[in-house]
Amino acid sequence: MPLRTPRMLRKRANVQSTPVIHFRPHPWHGLEVGPEPPQILNAFIEITPFDLMKYEVDKVSGYLRVDRPQRSSAQHPTLYGFVPRTYCDERVRKLAPGAKRGDRDPLDICVLSERVIARNEIIVRCRVIGGLQMIDGGEADDKIVGVLENDYVWGTARDVSDIPSVLIERLQHYFLTYKLVPGRRAQARVARVYGRRHALKVVTAAMADYEAAFPATPASARSGSSG
Protein backbone atom coordinates (compact mmCIF):
# COMPACT_ATOMS: atom_id res chain seq x y z
CA MET A 1 0.00 0.00 0.00
CA PRO A 2 1.56 3.36 -1.04
CA LEU A 3 2.42 5.88 1.67
CA ARG A 4 -0.08 8.72 1.81
CA THR A 5 1.48 12.12 2.33
CA PRO A 6 -0.38 14.95 4.16
CA ARG A 7 -0.86 16.66 0.79
CA MET A 8 -2.50 13.56 -0.66
CA LEU A 9 -4.77 13.23 2.38
CA ARG A 10 -5.89 16.85 2.11
CA LYS A 11 -6.63 16.40 -1.59
CA ARG A 12 -8.52 13.18 -0.90
CA ALA A 13 -10.63 14.85 1.76
CA ASN A 14 -11.17 17.91 -0.47
CA VAL A 15 -9.84 20.18 2.30
CA GLN A 16 -8.58 23.58 1.24
CA SER A 17 -5.12 24.53 2.42
CA THR A 18 -5.39 27.18 5.16
CA PRO A 19 -2.75 28.83 7.37
CA VAL A 20 -2.14 26.97 10.62
CA ILE A 21 -1.05 28.65 13.86
CA HIS A 22 1.08 26.11 15.66
CA PHE A 23 1.07 27.97 18.98
CA ARG A 24 -1.81 29.64 20.74
CA PRO A 25 -1.73 33.44 20.21
CA HIS A 26 -1.87 35.73 23.22
CA PRO A 27 -5.53 36.81 23.51
CA TRP A 28 -4.59 40.44 24.15
CA HIS A 29 -1.73 40.88 21.69
CA GLY A 30 -2.17 38.06 19.21
CA LEU A 31 -5.83 38.34 18.22
CA GLU A 32 -7.34 40.89 15.86
CA VAL A 33 -9.37 43.82 17.18
CA GLY A 34 -12.23 42.75 14.95
CA PRO A 35 -13.36 42.49 11.35
CA GLU A 36 -14.67 46.07 11.11
CA PRO A 37 -13.30 48.14 14.00
CA PRO A 38 -14.48 50.20 15.74
CA GLN A 39 -18.02 49.09 14.85
CA ILE A 40 -17.68 45.28 14.88
CA LEU A 41 -15.18 43.81 17.30
CA ASN A 42 -13.81 40.60 18.68
CA ALA A 43 -14.34 40.14 22.41
CA PHE A 44 -12.33 37.66 24.45
CA ILE A 45 -14.69 36.46 27.17
CA GLU A 46 -13.31 36.10 30.69
CA ILE A 47 -16.53 35.90 32.74
CA THR A 48 -20.02 34.54 32.01
CA PRO A 49 -23.27 35.32 33.86
CA PHE A 50 -22.84 31.97 35.64
CA ASP A 51 -19.46 32.64 37.26
CA LEU A 52 -19.07 33.38 40.96
CA MET A 53 -15.31 33.74 40.54
CA LYS A 54 -13.60 36.67 38.88
CA TYR A 55 -11.39 35.32 36.13
CA GLU A 56 -8.82 37.45 34.37
CA VAL A 57 -6.32 36.87 31.59
CA ASP A 58 -2.78 36.60 32.89
CA LYS A 59 -0.98 39.32 30.96
CA VAL A 60 2.26 37.38 30.70
CA SER A 61 1.08 33.90 29.69
CA GLY A 62 -2.27 34.76 28.11
CA TYR A 63 -4.04 32.00 30.04
CA LEU A 64 -7.06 32.60 32.22
CA ARG A 65 -6.39 32.73 35.94
CA VAL A 66 -8.51 33.10 39.06
CA ASP A 67 -8.30 36.72 40.18
CA ARG A 68 -10.56 36.40 43.22
CA PRO A 69 -13.90 35.00 44.35
CA GLN A 70 -16.78 37.44 43.92
CA ARG A 71 -17.27 39.14 47.28
CA SER A 72 -21.01 39.66 46.90
CA SER A 73 -23.84 37.48 45.63
CA ALA A 74 -24.09 39.54 42.43
CA GLN A 75 -23.56 37.78 39.11
CA HIS A 76 -22.56 39.51 35.93
CA PRO A 77 -25.61 40.33 33.76
CA THR A 78 -23.81 39.64 30.46
CA LEU A 79 -20.77 38.06 28.92
CA TYR A 80 -17.75 40.10 30.00
CA GLY A 81 -14.24 40.39 28.66
CA PHE A 82 -11.97 42.70 26.69
CA VAL A 83 -11.20 43.85 23.17
CA PRO A 84 -7.85 42.55 21.86
CA ARG A 85 -5.16 45.09 20.96
CA THR A 86 -6.73 47.91 22.94
CA TYR A 87 -5.31 49.80 25.93
CA CYS A 88 -6.82 52.46 28.17
CA ASP A 89 -4.33 55.25 28.64
CA GLU A 90 -4.19 58.98 27.95
CA ARG A 91 -6.48 59.09 24.89
CA VAL A 92 -9.20 57.17 26.72
CA ARG A 93 -8.68 59.33 29.81
CA LYS A 94 -9.33 62.49 27.81
CA LEU A 95 -12.80 61.18 26.90
CA ALA A 96 -13.72 60.69 30.58
CA PRO A 97 -14.00 64.04 32.40
CA GLY A 98 -12.97 63.64 36.03
CA ALA A 99 -10.60 60.74 35.43
CA LYS A 100 -6.96 61.25 36.39
CA ARG A 101 -5.60 58.48 34.18
CA GLY A 102 -6.62 55.45 32.18
CA ASP A 103 -6.66 52.11 34.00
CA ARG A 104 -3.87 50.77 31.75
CA ASP A 105 -5.72 47.61 30.90
CA PRO A 106 -7.40 46.36 27.72
CA LEU A 107 -10.78 47.95 27.00
CA ASP A 108 -13.58 46.10 28.82
CA ILE A 109 -16.67 44.98 26.94
CA CYS A 110 -20.06 43.54 27.93
CA VAL A 111 -21.81 41.44 25.28
CA LEU A 112 -25.54 40.74 25.17
CA SER A 113 -26.60 37.32 23.90
CA GLU A 114 -30.16 35.97 23.85
CA ARG A 115 -28.95 32.37 23.85
CA VAL A 116 -27.06 31.09 26.86
CA ILE A 117 -23.27 31.04 26.50
CA ALA A 118 -21.89 29.35 29.60
CA ARG A 119 -18.23 29.05 28.56
CA ASN A 120 -15.49 31.58 29.04
CA GLU A 121 -12.10 31.83 27.32
CA ILE A 122 -13.84 32.08 23.96
CA ILE A 123 -13.96 34.72 21.23
CA VAL A 124 -17.29 36.29 20.26
CA ARG A 125 -17.93 38.78 17.48
CA CYS A 126 -20.08 41.71 18.54
CA ARG A 127 -21.48 45.04 17.36
CA VAL A 128 -20.84 48.13 19.51
CA ILE A 129 -24.01 49.93 20.66
CA GLY A 130 -22.87 52.09 23.60
CA GLY A 131 -21.12 52.00 26.93
CA LEU A 132 -20.79 53.06 30.56
CA GLN A 133 -18.38 55.83 31.45
CA MET A 134 -17.09 54.33 34.68
CA ILE A 135 -14.45 55.97 36.84
CA ASP A 136 -12.93 53.65 39.43
CA GLY A 137 -10.47 55.10 41.93
CA GLY A 138 -9.82 58.04 39.64
CA GLU A 139 -9.14 55.80 36.62
CA ALA A 140 -11.10 55.76 33.36
CA ASP A 141 -12.54 52.24 33.27
CA ASP A 142 -15.08 52.36 30.43
CA LYS A 143 -17.35 49.38 29.86
CA ILE A 144 -18.30 49.12 26.19
CA VAL A 145 -21.68 47.48 25.53
CA GLY A 146 -22.12 45.30 22.48
CA VAL A 147 -24.56 42.77 21.08
CA LEU A 148 -23.64 39.38 19.69
CA GLU A 149 -23.34 39.69 15.91
CA ASN A 150 -26.32 38.04 14.14
CA ASP A 151 -28.10 37.40 17.44
CA TYR A 152 -31.78 36.69 16.64
CA VAL A 153 -33.05 38.95 19.44
CA TRP A 154 -30.40 41.63 19.97
CA GLY A 155 -28.59 41.50 16.62
CA THR A 156 -30.58 44.36 15.07
CA ALA A 157 -29.76 46.80 17.90
CA ARG A 158 -27.57 49.69 16.80
CA ASP A 159 -27.66 51.87 19.93
CA VAL A 160 -28.33 51.43 23.65
CA SER A 161 -31.71 53.05 23.06
CA ASP A 162 -32.65 49.95 21.05
CA ILE A 163 -32.51 47.62 24.07
CA PRO A 164 -34.63 47.66 27.27
CA SER A 165 -33.28 50.21 29.76
CA VAL A 166 -33.46 47.62 32.54
CA LEU A 167 -30.53 45.76 30.96
CA ILE A 168 -28.33 48.85 31.25
CA GLU A 169 -29.61 49.41 34.80
CA ARG A 170 -28.46 45.90 35.70
CA LEU A 171 -25.01 46.57 34.30
CA GLN A 172 -24.75 49.82 36.25
CA HIS A 173 -25.88 48.13 39.44
CA TYR A 174 -23.39 45.31 39.02
CA PHE A 175 -20.37 47.52 38.41
CA LEU A 176 -21.31 49.84 41.28
CA THR A 177 -21.77 47.03 43.80
CA TYR A 178 -19.65 43.98 42.92
CA LYS A 179 -16.62 45.32 44.81
CA LEU A 180 -18.63 47.12 47.49
CA VAL A 181 -17.65 46.35 51.08
CA PRO A 182 -20.15 47.21 53.85
CA GLY A 183 -18.87 50.13 55.89
CA ARG A 184 -16.46 51.34 53.23
CA ARG A 185 -16.92 54.19 50.81
CA ALA A 186 -17.48 53.19 47.19
CA GLN A 187 -14.56 53.96 44.87
CA ALA A 188 -16.42 53.51 41.59
CA ARG A 189 -19.07 55.62 39.89
CA VAL A 190 -20.79 55.57 36.53
CA ALA A 191 -20.55 59.14 35.27
CA ARG A 192 -22.94 58.51 32.40
CA VAL A 193 -24.35 56.02 29.94
CA TYR A 194 -23.44 56.85 26.35
CA GLY A 195 -24.63 55.71 22.97
CA ARG A 196 -22.95 54.26 19.92
CA ARG A 197 -21.36 57.47 18.65
CA HIS A 198 -19.31 58.08 21.78
CA ALA A 199 -18.59 54.36 22.21
CA LEU A 200 -16.91 54.31 18.80
CA LYS A 201 -14.70 57.21 19.92
CA VAL A 202 -13.68 55.28 23.05
CA VAL A 203 -12.83 52.16 21.04
CA THR A 204 -10.81 54.22 18.55
CA ALA A 205 -8.94 55.94 21.40
CA ALA A 206 -8.18 52.59 23.05
CA MET A 207 -6.83 51.23 19.76
CA ALA A 208 -4.58 54.30 19.41
CA ASP A 209 -3.42 53.98 23.04
CA TYR A 210 -2.47 50.37 22.32
CA GLU A 211 -0.42 51.29 19.27
CA ALA A 212 1.40 53.95 21.31
CA ALA A 213 2.10 51.59 24.20
CA PHE A 214 3.03 48.59 22.03
CA PRO A 215 4.67 49.87 18.83
CA ALA A 216 4.07 47.79 15.71
CA THR A 217 6.09 44.61 16.05
CA PRO A 218 5.29 40.93 15.37
CA ALA A 219 2.65 39.78 17.84
CA SER A 220 4.95 37.09 19.21
CA ALA A 221 7.52 39.72 20.14
CA ARG A 222 5.18 41.90 22.15
CA SER A 223 5.65 41.92 25.90
CA GLY A 224 2.82 40.63 28.03
CA SER A 225 3.26 43.41 30.58
CA SER A 226 0.57 46.08 30.75
CA GLY A 227 3.03 48.77 31.82
Side-chain angles (χ1 to χ4, degrees):
M1 184 175 179
L3 179 66
R4 293 176 181 175
T5 66
R7 183 177 180 181
M8 291 170 62
L9 291 173
R10 285 197 301 268
K11 186 175 181 180
R12 183 183 180 91
N14 196 28
V15 176
Q16 291 183 345
S17 178
T18 57
V20 175
I21 298 175
H22 294 283
F23 299 96
R24 168 180 163 142
H26 195 294
W28 182 17
H29 303 293
L31 300 178
E32 295 298 327
V33 180
E36 297 178 31
Q39 295 90 353
I40 303 177
L41 307 173
N42 289 323
F44 183 82
I45 302 303
E46 298 168 295
I47 303 174
T48 77
F50 306 94
D51 291 322
L52 291 175
M53 301 291 291
K54 185 180 185 299
Y55 300 104
E56 188 171 282
V57 162
D58 180 78
K59 291 185 175 65
V60 174
S61 69
Y63 283 90
L64 209 61
R65 64 177 174 84
V66 173
D67 183 52
R68 63 178 181 272
Q70 298 280 28
R71 178 179 287 273
S72 72
S73 59
Q75 290 176 266
H76 207 291
T78 68
L79 297 170
Y80 178 71
F82 64 86
V83 181
R85 301 196 191 188
T86 59
Y87 186 62
C88 297
D89 204 4
E90 185 59 18
R91 293 170 181 80
V92 173
R93 195 276 307 169
K94 287 180 179 179
L95 294 174
K100 298 177 182 177
R101 56 193 170 275
D103 72 352
R104 296 181 179 177
D105 269 334
L107 182 63
D108 296 325
I109 189 164
C110 306
V111 182
L112 291 168
S113 169
E114 181 261 335
R115 289 291 190 181
V116 171
I117 298 177
R119 292 185 56 184
N120 57 10
E121 209 163 9
I122 61 173
I123 304 166
V124 299
R125 185 166 293 177
C126 56
R127 181 179 296 276
V128 173
I129 63 169
L132 307 180
Q133 191 172 84
M134 182 170 167
I135 299 177
D136 189 356
E139 296 181 339
D141 190 13
D142 286 69
K143 311 297 182 185
I144 296 299
V145 178
V147 294
L148 185 69
E149 182 73 346
N150 296 326
D151 188 277
Y152 287 110
V153 173
W154 307 120
T156 58
R158 292 296 181 271
D159 194 88
V160 289
S161 60
D162 295 329
I163 64 174
S165 60
V166 68
L167 297 180
I168 300 301
E169 289 172 9
R170 289 174 184 170
L171 284 171
Q172 291 185 80
H173 181 267
Y174 175 81
F175 286 116
L176 290 175
T177 60
Y178 81 109
K179 290 193 291 187
L180 190 63
V181 179
R184 297 185 190 176
R185 185 177 180 180
Q187 296 294 311
R189 63 185 177 91
V190 175
R192 67 175 176 131
V193 176
Y194 49 75
R196 177 179 178 273
R197 180 176 295 181
H198 187 78
L200 297 182
K201 292 180 181 179
V202 174
V203 174
T204 301
M207 291 167 60
D209 276 341
Y210 179 87
E211 291 301 324
F214 303 94
T217 56
S220 61
R222 288 192 174 106
S223 167
S225 171
S226 62

